[in-house]
Amino acid sequence: MKRKALLLISLATIAFNNSIIIVNADTTNHSDEKRAEKFFKKIKNFNQKINQDILDKTVAANRTLKNKYQSTNEETLNLNRYWTTFIKKINYLKNDQLEIYVTADFKKLSQSKRSQIIEFTQQLALSQLDTFKAVSDLAYGESLAVTIFCDGNYLGRSLFMNNKEFRWKS
């Protein structure tokens, strides 16, 4: 009797260890996918809107420069008016960061003027972002993290704990 019981336990253990367990692999949550698609569509629309705003401001600044027959040095002397002429494109990323693409002339500016232009860009992005999602007063004070590119190459970024100070590539 003991022998039969031991044999049955051994067979049951072998059968259990060798059995194939089939698990349904479809664990996707379709509502999460739809929510993600909706969110990325909103980000795409936001990026189009902010880049159109930059383009409109740049066209207006260039028109002003041409109408006054002023030299291109006027751009660097009056950054409050012509700062958008140094910005090609802005990309808002889902983790509240910005990628800013600048012109080659941007590299000729001093670091303080570069910083000033990037701060203007951060503030523009924050003001536009307020229509996309609520932005706290703290976010306005701290601003958004930024990575800057010129002609497809990394040019600089904001510091880790202070988004209003920048580290430039040497």
Side-chain angles (χ1 to χ4, degrees), residues 12 32 43 45 53 56 58 69 97 111 117 151 156 158 165:
D32 286 344
I43 288 177
N45 291 339
D53 193 22
D56 294 344
T58 302
Y69 301 102
Q97 293 184 356
Q111 288 187 4
I117 290 170
D151 297 328
S158 57
E165 289 188 33

Side-chain angles (χ1 to χ4, degrees), residues 140-154:
Y140 273 105
E142 292 178 359
S143 203
L144 298 171
V146 173
T147 306
I148 302 121
F149 297 96
C150 181
D151 297 328
N153 297 317
Y154 170 79

Side-chain angles (χ1 to χ4, degrees), residues 67-83:
N67 288 342
K68 290 185 176 183
Y69 301 102
Q70 295 173 339
S71 68
T72 55
N73 289 336
E74 180 70 19
E75 289 177 319
T76 59
L77 295 175
N78 191 353
L79 289 180
N80 290 333
R81 181 182 241 169
Y82 302 113
W83 67 271

Side-chain angles (χ1 to χ4, degrees), residues 35-63:
R35 194 172 332 139
E37 283 179 26
K38 185 177 178 182
F39 181 71
F40 285 116
K41 186 175 181 180
K42 283 177 78 173
I43 288 177
K44 181 181 174 184
N45 291 339
F46 173 76
N47 284 332
Q48 288 173 342
K49 181 179 177 184
I50 195 167
N51 283 303
Q52 185 61 48
D53 193 22
I54 284 287
L55 180 64
D56 294 344
K57 289 178 186 302
T58 302
V59 167
N62 284 333
R63 190 177 315 122

Side-chain angles (χ1 to χ4, degrees), residues 12-167:
T13 306
I14 292 170
F16 180 74
N17 288 337
N18 290 333
S19 64
I20 298 173
I21 300 173
I22 298 173
V23 177
N24 187 0
D26 186 18
T27 59
T28 57
N29 187 343
H30 296 291
S31 63
D32 286 344
E33 287 178 13
K34 288 179 183 179
R35 194 172 332 139
E37 283 179 26
K38 185 177 178 182
F39 181 71
F40 285 116
K41 186 175 181 180
K42 283 177 78 173
I43 288 177
K44 181 181 174 184
N45 291 339
F46 173 76
N47 284 332
Q48 288 173 342
K49 181 179 177 184
I50 195 167
N51 283 303
Q52 185 61 48
D53 193 22
I54 284 287
L55 180 64
D56 294 344
K57 289 178 186 302
T58 302
V59 167
N62 284 333
R63 190 177 315 122
T64 303
L65 281 172
K66 285 181 184 178
N67 288 342
K68 290 185 176 183
Y69 301 102
Q70 295 173 339
S71 68
T72 55
N73 289 336
E74 180 70 19
E75 289 177 319
T76 59
L77 295 175
N78 191 353
L79 289 180
N80 290 333
R81 181 182 241 169
Y82 302 113
W83 67 271
T84 58
T85 60
F86 295 101
I87 306 296
K88 282 185 178 178
K89 182 180 174 184
I90 301 171
N91 271 348
Y92 173 75
L93 306 175
K94 67 178 181 176
N95 53 356
D96 283 338
Q97 293 184 356
L98 294 175
E99 287 180 343
I100 300 175
Y101 297 87
V102 296
T103 63
D105 291 337
F106 182 84
K107 294 193 310 190
K108 297 174 187 173
L109 298 172
S110 68
Q111 288 187 4
S112 64
K113 288 184 178 184
R114 288 181 186 181
S115 297
Q116 189 178 1
I117 290 170
I118 298 304
E119 285 178 19
F120 287 150
T121 308
Q122 288 173 318
Q123 290 304 311
L124 174 72
L126 280 169
S127 66
Q128 294 285 341
L129 190 60
D130 215 6
T131 62
F132 173 63
K133 68 177 195 175
V135 178
S136 67
D137 292 337
L138 181 63
Y140 273 105
E142 292 178 359
S143 203
L144 298 171
V146 173
T147 306
I148 302 121
F149 297 96
C150 181
D151 297 328
N153 297 317
Y154 170 79
L155 186 61
R157 63 174 174 80
S158 57
L159 296 180
F160 179 64
M161 295 299 285
N162 186 354
N163 294 328
K164 291 191 174 199
E165 289 188 33
F166 307 97
R167 173 162 291 145

